[in-house]
């Protein structure tokens, strides 16, 4: 009783719920975001002690400056062919995304997710890896497949769930999987791939292999327990893994502050686990390449994992089911101060005298034609709307290695039902 | 009201009535939830009572349990039932047992809402029906409404309940009833009598089923979307079936079930979830235990198959009128 009275004199507590800076109708303003100059971040030796390089987890590794010049110690000094190839792949991802997005709007499939503005992360990152390295992506790294020359038609057939779908019409569109191309099956359950990437890398270490693994996760999904499990295991066993966080600042309608970005950076989560954390300009293909290379070199030298935050912006909606104008100002993506990754790489190549506007426009047309042609071929094998994967018996395969009695019985039932429907 | 509006209204009524009611979950605040079930609540009740959470279902449930032990009545949204598993440990090992392990000193008046079920081309990670996993856990109540009126009344009853409730919302029927005839045009809720939903407070008690169609030939036990499939199938097949909407699967309304099966002598149970160890197995066992001498045929189960939900073969997977019709005929022939 007395204690209750005493308590009444104390100040009332209040709950803090983070809010983004701008909502629909507000002027979009990114001026409060500190953007260090390109070239300013030091590039330590890969054997540097994590606690000696903590600043890198709070800064921003940038290579391309405002004029598109590559500056500073992180410049990976790539040859023009590699740069042109990265540009081409990033453009391809964008053209492909636009095409498939439209296909969804035309009702040819159920769902689609674009990676607009984030193309450099998957594409440049993949070019910095070995072809044999294993990736554990999320739904926004289709650029890995493009960078590894996975056939466009197969990607489209997956999106259409048609006769040519390598996954037999089972997965949602964009949830690709191809072991041959080092691309692990995408799960709709956020974050699960992260400890799996660590486990794959541990397996490689257990067997004395030389391949490393790369896991990807969104800023929102870093709140999941699986994120923390992954970093704990990666640190403890010094797993040869690169743990990428794609901070595009939005998780559906929820801004990154709700995942903890108001308090610290995502890269800084590495600090508590005793592993190196790099914060990198995700719209700068050269910085993405350089950071990935640095982390890969560490992993290959048995120095353990690296956590990389790629700082970027989700230019488009979360998916075809999302309308971002309901929760953030219109044009936010365009206003993003780190620019467009394709434009920036293009400027760089033009500055080097290795590219020009005409070639760029011609390449765009070529890619467009390539994607259209692939789409035509893919649609010959059906779309979800017109002619989807329809082998009902196949539904009962791959649940187990062998089909047990109860599934055999259910398969017969499903086939009989199909007959009954006619 | 459609079902989303009814669920929204239940929140609104309870937040107005009871300042201890709080709402949390991914995207539920400013945006009002990806299905809009919590639209406008944050504007009306403020950010301390309706707020977005990190994407961490274990965190959502764990902190909601903490809020409940403080004395609040949290309503936590899990965006899709397929994503409830990271919160599973907190639900199953903690929320379900805190009353028991503290000899009643602490209780967890928590409601966990989550959209479930197939029929929306959600693929295998947006279509599951995991209700049996929760029905199996002692200490939880499990509710599955089939229409807007019940959804509102049952949700209010769940929020007022002093035990943890897992509240499964059949997302296929958020905007209109779905009878499983997927080629037919969808009708909106507006044309359905159960869409007449009072604006203010009322409850539909937990643990009480509803006989939604009376009949003499066979009893169909259903919940969620399957209630509509059952009604439509009975109609299409011209079968004098009694259809029972369970509304709550734990505790299940055994009296209504028993009375009906004893009357009809036949029983078919139907759900969207996979068959093996699904809730249909429990229903079937209950009926055998209590009505064995009244049964004229074995109890039939109509369910989803024991495979994950395949994207392109969704309609071959979904337990629709053909599967149910066949089971009904088989039962009647026996
Ligand atoms: C375990 C789990 N919880 C919730 C969801 C629903 N969901 C799908 S995507 C998403 C947002 C993810 O945001 P982020 O991790 O930042 O990745 P981004 O989409 O921005 O690339 C949510 C909440 C899910 N798929 N899995």
């Amino acid at each position: 009783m007395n204690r209750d009275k005493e308590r009444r004199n104390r100040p009332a507590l209040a709950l803090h719920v983070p809010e983004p800076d701008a909502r629909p109708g507000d002027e979009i303003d990114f001026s409060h975001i500190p953007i260090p100059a390109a070239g300013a971040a030091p590039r330590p030796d890969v054997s540097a002690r994590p606690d000696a390089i903590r600043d890198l987890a709070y800064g921003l590794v940038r290579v391309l400056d405002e004029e598109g010049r590559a500056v500073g110690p992180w410049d990976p000094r790539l040859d023009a062919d590699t740069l042109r190839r990265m540009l081409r792949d990033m453009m391809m991802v964008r053209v492909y995304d636009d095409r498939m997005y439209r296909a969804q709007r035309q009702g040819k499939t159920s769902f689609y997710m674009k990676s607009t503005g984030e193309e450099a992360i998957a594409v440049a990152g993949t070019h910095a890896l070995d072809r044999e390295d294993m990736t554990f992506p999320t739904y926004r790294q289709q650029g890995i497949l493009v960078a590894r020359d996975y056939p466009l038609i197969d990607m489209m057939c997956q999106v259409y769930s048609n006769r040519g779908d390598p996954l037999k019409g089972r997965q949602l569109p964009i949830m690709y999987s191809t072991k041959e191309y080092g691309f692990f099956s995408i799960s709709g359950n956020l974050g699960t791939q992260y400890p799996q990437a660590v486990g794959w890398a541990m397996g490689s270490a257990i067997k004395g292999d030389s391949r490393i693994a790369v896991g990807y996760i969104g800023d929102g999904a870093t709140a999941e327990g699986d994120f923390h499990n992954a970093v704990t295991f990666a640190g403890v066993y010094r797993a040869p893994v690169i743990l990428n966080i794609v901070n595009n600042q939005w998780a559906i309608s929820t801004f990154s502050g709700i995942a903890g970005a108001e308090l610290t950076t995502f890269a800084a989560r590495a600090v508590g686990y005793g592993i190196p954390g790099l914060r990198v300009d995700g719209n700068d293909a050269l910085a993405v390449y350089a950071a990935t290379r640095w982390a890969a070199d560490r992993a290959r030298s048995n120095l353990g994992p690296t956590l990389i935050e790629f700082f970027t912006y989700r230019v488009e909606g979360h998916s075809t089911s999302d309308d971002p104008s309901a929760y953030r100002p219109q044009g936010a993506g365009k206003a993003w101060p780190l620019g467009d990754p394709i434009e920036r790489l293009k400027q760089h190549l033009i500055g080097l005298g290795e590219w020009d506007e005409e070639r760029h426009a011609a390449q765009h047309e070529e890619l467009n034609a390539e994607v259209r042609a692939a789409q035509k071929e893919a649609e010959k094998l059906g779309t979800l709307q017109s002619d989807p994967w329809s082998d009902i018996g196949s539904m009962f395969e791959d649940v187990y290695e062998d089909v047990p009695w109860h599934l055999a019985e259910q398969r017969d039932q499903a086939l009989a039902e199909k007959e009954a429907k006619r | 009201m459609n079902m989303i509006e009814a669920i929204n209204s239940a929140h609104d009524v309870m937040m107005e009535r009871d300042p201890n009611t709080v709402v949390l979950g991914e995207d539920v605040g400013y945006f009002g939830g990806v299905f809009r079930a919590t639209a406008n609540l944050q504007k009306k009740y403020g950010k301390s009572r309706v707020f977005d959470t990190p994407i961490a279902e274990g965190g959502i449930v764990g902190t909601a349990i903490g809020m409940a032990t403080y004395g609040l009545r949290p309503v936590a949204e899990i965006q899709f039932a397929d994503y409830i598993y990271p919160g599973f440990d907190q639900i199953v090992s903690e929320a379900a047992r805190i009353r028991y392990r503290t000899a009643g000193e602490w209780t967890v008046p928590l409601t966990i809402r989550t959209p479930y079920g197939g029929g929306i081309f959600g693929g295998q990670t947006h279509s599951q029906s995991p209700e049996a996993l929760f029905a199996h856990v002692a200490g939880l109540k499990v509710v599955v409404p089939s229409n807007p009126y019940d959804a509102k009344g049952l949700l209010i009853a769940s929020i007022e309940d002093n035990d943890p409730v897992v509240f499964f919302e059949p997302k296929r029927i958020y905007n209109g009833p779905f009878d499983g005839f997927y080629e037919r045009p969808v009708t909106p809720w507006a044309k359905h009598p159960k869409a007449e939903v009072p604006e203010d407070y009322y409850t539909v008690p937990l643990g009480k089923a509803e006989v939604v169609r009376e009949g003499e030939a066979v009893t169909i036990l259903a919940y969620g979307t399957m209630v509509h499939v059952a009604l439509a199938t009975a109609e299409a097949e011209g079968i004098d079936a009694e259809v029972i909407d369970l509304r709550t699967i734990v505790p299940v309304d055994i009296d209504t079930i028993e009375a009906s099966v004893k009357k009809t002598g036949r029983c078919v149970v139907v759900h969207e979830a996979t068959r093996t160890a699904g809730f249909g197995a429990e229903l079937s066992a209950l009926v055998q235990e209590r009505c064995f001498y009244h049964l004229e045929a074995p109890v039939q189960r109509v369910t989803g198959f024991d495979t994950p939900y395949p994207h392109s073969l969704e309609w071959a997977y979904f337990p629709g009128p053909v599967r149910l019709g066949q089971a009904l005929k088989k039962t009647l022939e026996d």
Side-chain angles (χ1 to χ4, degrees):
Chain A
M1 187 66 233
N2 252 347
R3 271 197 292 163
D4 273 356
K5 236 187 222 155
E6 214 178 280
R7 227 170 37 189
R8 251 178 262 141
N9 280 328
R10 298 190 192 148
L13 302 171
L15 186 69
H16 172 71
V17 181
E19 264 301 313
D21 303 301
R23 285 299 194 183
D26 295 341
E27 204 62 52
I28 187 78
D29 178 12
F30 287 115
S31 62
H32 61 284
I33 295 180
I35 299 179
R43 184 183 183 283
D45 189 81
V46 292
S47 62
R49 285 173 51 96
D51 56 354
I53 60 171
R54 296 164 64 133
D55 286 355
L56 288 172
Y58 298 93
L60 196 63
V61 171
R62 305 182 65 219
V63 172
L64 291 172
D65 70 9
E66 276 58 36
E67 274 75 53
R69 285 179 303 236
V71 294
W74 284 93
D75 176 6
R77 299 174 188 283
L78 299 176
D79 59 80
D81 282 343
T82 305
L83 292 171
R84 276 190 294 257
R85 174 62 208 255
M86 294 199 320
L87 179 67
R88 180 228 166 246
D89 289 350
M90 285 159 61
M91 291 168 73
M92 175 59 106
V93 172
R94 192 165 294 180
V95 169
Y96 173 83
D97 270 358
D98 285 341
R99 207 72 217 158
M100 291 293 96
Y101 183 89
R102 213 172 319 162
Q104 192 277 341
R105 286 293 187 247
Q106 291 164 344
K108 292 174 182 169
T109 191
S110 56
F111 181 76
Y112 195 74
M113 297 174 105
K114 289 173 142 188
S115 63
T116 314
E118 304 175 28
E119 294 91 344
I121 294 163
V123 168
T126 302
H127 280 289
L129 297 172
D130 280 359
R131 178 61 184 71
E132 290 72 32
D133 293 333
M134 185 65 199
T135 63
F136 287 78
T138 80
Y139 43 70
R140 258 187 251 285
Q141 282 89 47
Q142 55 271 57
I144 297 171
L145 293 172
V146 171
R148 286 185 167 172
D149 294 316
Y150 185 67
L152 280 182
I153 293 190
D154 290 358
M155 289 177 76
M156 290 171 170
C157 288
Q158 198 284 318
V159 170
Y160 286 141
S161 276
N162 65 9
R163 277 202 301 289
D165 178 0
L167 307 179
K168 303 186 178 177
R170 290 178 185 155
Q171 275 275 57
L172 267 189
I174 60 103
M175 299 212 173
Y176 314 102
S177 176
T178 161
K179 194 172 179 181
E180 196 188 333
Y181 289 78
F183 188 97
F184 189 70
S185 158
I186 292 166
S187 174
N189 298 56
L190 292 171
T192 52
Q193 73 285 359
Y194 227 50
Q196 293 162 4
V198 174
W200 194 98
M202 287 168 66
S204 185
I206 289 167
K207 299 293 271 184
D209 197 342
S210 62
R211 294 173 294 166
I212 64 170
V214 187
Y216 293 82
I217 199 168
D219 50 290
T222 61
E224 288 286 2
D226 269 343
F227 171 86
H228 305 275
N229 297 337
V231 191
T232 300
F233 276 63
V236 167
Y237 299 108
R238 310 236 173 117
V241 67
I242 307 176
L243 293 172
N244 290 329
I245 299 169
V246 181
N247 176 10
N248 65 13
Q249 303 182 53
W250 289 92
I252 313 189
S253 76
T254 303
F255 88 118
S256 53
I258 292 286
E262 236 183 24
L263 301 164
T264 185
T265 68
F266 290 98
R269 296 193 181 183
V271 173
Y273 292 94
I275 69 175
L278 304 179
R279 193 157 174 274
V280 176
D281 179 349
N283 291 19
D284 176 344
L286 296 188
V288 172
Y289 187 103
T292 304
R293 201 48 185 268
W294 188 86
D297 287 347
R298 271 183 47 84
R300 289 189 213 291
S301 320
N302 263 318
L303 292 161
T306 305
L307 187 75
I308 307 179
E309 170 187 350
F310 290 115
F311 193 44
T312 182
Y313 198 84
R314 199 196 73 210
V315 171
E316 302 265 349
H318 172 74
S319 72
T320 43
S321 319
D322 179 40
D323 170 18
S325 71
Y327 53 80
R328 68 184 192 193
Q330 241 141 19
K334 283 219 164 57
W336 174 238
L338 291 175
D340 178 281
I342 294 179
E343 279 305 305
R344 285 174 71 189
L345 186 56
K346 171 184 145 191
Q347 280 317 319
H348 175 59
L349 268 161
I350 291 176
L352 292 176
E354 297 286 353
W355 198 241
D356 52 56
E357 293 288 355
E358 292 72 50
R359 276 202 270 181
H360 193 81
Q363 174 155 292
H364 186 81
E365 275 321 300
E366 257 168 57
L367 294 172
N368 230 328
E370 203 179 315
V371 169
R372 276 165 188 272
Q375 187 183 19
K376 228 170 147 185
E377 288 305 305
E379 287 183 9
K380 282 188 191 152
L381 298 169
T383 68
L384 183 66
Q385 171 195 49
S386 66
D387 182 15
W389 178 279
S390 58
D391 174 2
I392 288 177
S394 74
M395 188 163 103
F396 300 89
E397 293 160 10
D398 305 317
V399 184
Y400 303 100
E401 185 172 7
D402 302 313
V403 179
W405 71 266
H406 66 289
L407 282 179
E409 210 176 278
Q410 291 176 18
R411 178 178 55 203
D412 295 345
Q413 185 186 359
L415 293 170
E417 250 174 53
K418 193 185 166 199
E419 291 305 312
K421 270 178 203 166
R422 290 224 182 96
Chain B
M1 286 185 198
N2 68 26
M3 203 144 158
I4 291 277
E5 290 158 345
I7 288 162
N8 186 268
S9 173
H11 284 96
D12 195 3
V13 165
M14 284 311 290
M15 296 201 77
E16 179 91 53
R17 257 174 102 90
D18 180 358
N20 288 322
T21 308
V22 297
V23 174
L24 68 159
E26 294 157 21
D27 299 294
V28 303
Y30 184 87
F31 189 61
V34 293
F35 290 103
R36 321 293 297 139
T38 57
N40 300 317
L41 296 176
Q42 186 178 71
K43 210 186 244 167
K44 199 159 166 193
Y45 299 103
K47 278 192 296 177
S48 293
R49 291 186 63 200
V50 184
F51 51 89
D52 290 330
T53 63
I55 304 173
E57 291 74 12
I60 295 170
V61 179
T63 56
I65 291 172
M67 291 171 210
T69 57
Y70 172 80
L72 299 180
R73 291 190 175 272
V75 184
E77 178 179 294
I78 301 294
Q79 207 158 71
F80 284 87
D82 311 64
Y83 306 138
I84 206 165
Y85 306 114
F88 199 61
D89 183 43
Q90 285 285 348
I91 299 171
V92 165
S93 314
E94 305 302 318
R97 285 191 235 150
I98 285 174
R99 179 192 291 280
Y100 195 74
R101 76 189 195 207
T102 63
E105 195 177 15
W106 295 90
T107 58
V108 181
L110 159 66
T111 303
I112 299 167
R113 295 179 35 244
T114 189
Y116 86 100
I120 59 148
F121 283 101
Q124 41 105 21
T125 56
H126 296 81
S127 307
Q128 291 172 62
S129 302
E131 68 276 9
L133 297 176
F134 297 90
H136 189 59
V137 175
L140 300 176
K141 292 183 178 168
V142 181
V143 177
V144 194
S146 72
N147 61 69
Y149 181 89
D150 285 1
K152 177 169 174 181
L154 287 166
L155 182 53
I156 291 177
S158 300
I159 297 170
E160 288 186 329
D161 200 278
N162 286 326
D163 288 315
V165 176
V166 189
F167 191 92
F168 286 99
E169 298 168 6
K171 59 182 170 295
R172 183 62 180 81
I173 58 172
Y174 268 155
N175 293 311
F178 175 65
D179 58 14
F181 290 91
Y182 58 88
E183 318 86 349
R184 293 213 287 234
V186 190
T187 55
W189 276 116
K191 301 221 162 95
H192 197 280
K194 293 279 191 173
E196 259 175 55
V197 178
E199 293 287 340
D200 38 349
Y201 175 92
Y202 68 91
T203 60
V204 173
L206 305 187
K208 275 250 149 293
E210 186 184 13
V211 179
V212 289
R213 182 185 199 270
E214 295 199 13
E216 301 292 332
V218 52
T219 299
I220 307 177
L221 301 179
Y223 51 90
T225 306
M226 287 302 130
V227 172
H228 304 275
V229 175
L231 288 170
T233 307
E235 221 53 64
E237 302 284 350
I239 292 171
D240 186 21
E242 180 142 304
V243 178
I244 297 181
D245 177 354
L246 295 176
R247 300 200 287 206
T248 306
I249 64 170
V250 179
V252 77
D253 183 353
I254 192 64
D255 296 339
T256 302
I257 295 173
E258 208 175 317
S260 176
V261 177
K262 283 184 175 163
K263 178 177 79 171
T264 63
R266 293 184 156 86
C267 180
V268 173
V269 301
V270 52
H271 60 61
E272 289 185 67
T274 49
R275 182 185 190 83
T276 301
F279 195 68
E282 176 63 30
L283 289 172
S284 166
L286 280 173
V287 169
Q288 312 269 10
E289 279 168 5
R290 292 169 184 256
C291 311
F292 184 76
Y293 295 107
H294 295 80
L295 283 175
E296 291 175 41
V299 178
Q300 294 286 322
R301 278 183 288 164
V302 176
T303 67
F305 297 125
D306 285 326
T307 78
Y309 221 114
H311 181 242
S312 76
L313 291 169
E314 175 158 90
W315 296 126
Y317 181 95
F318 188 85
V322 175
R323 202 172 308 160
L324 179 56
Q326 282 174 348
L328 287 170
K329 280 181 247 168
K330 189 158 186 273
T331 307
L332 292 171
E333 281 160 17
D334 270 336

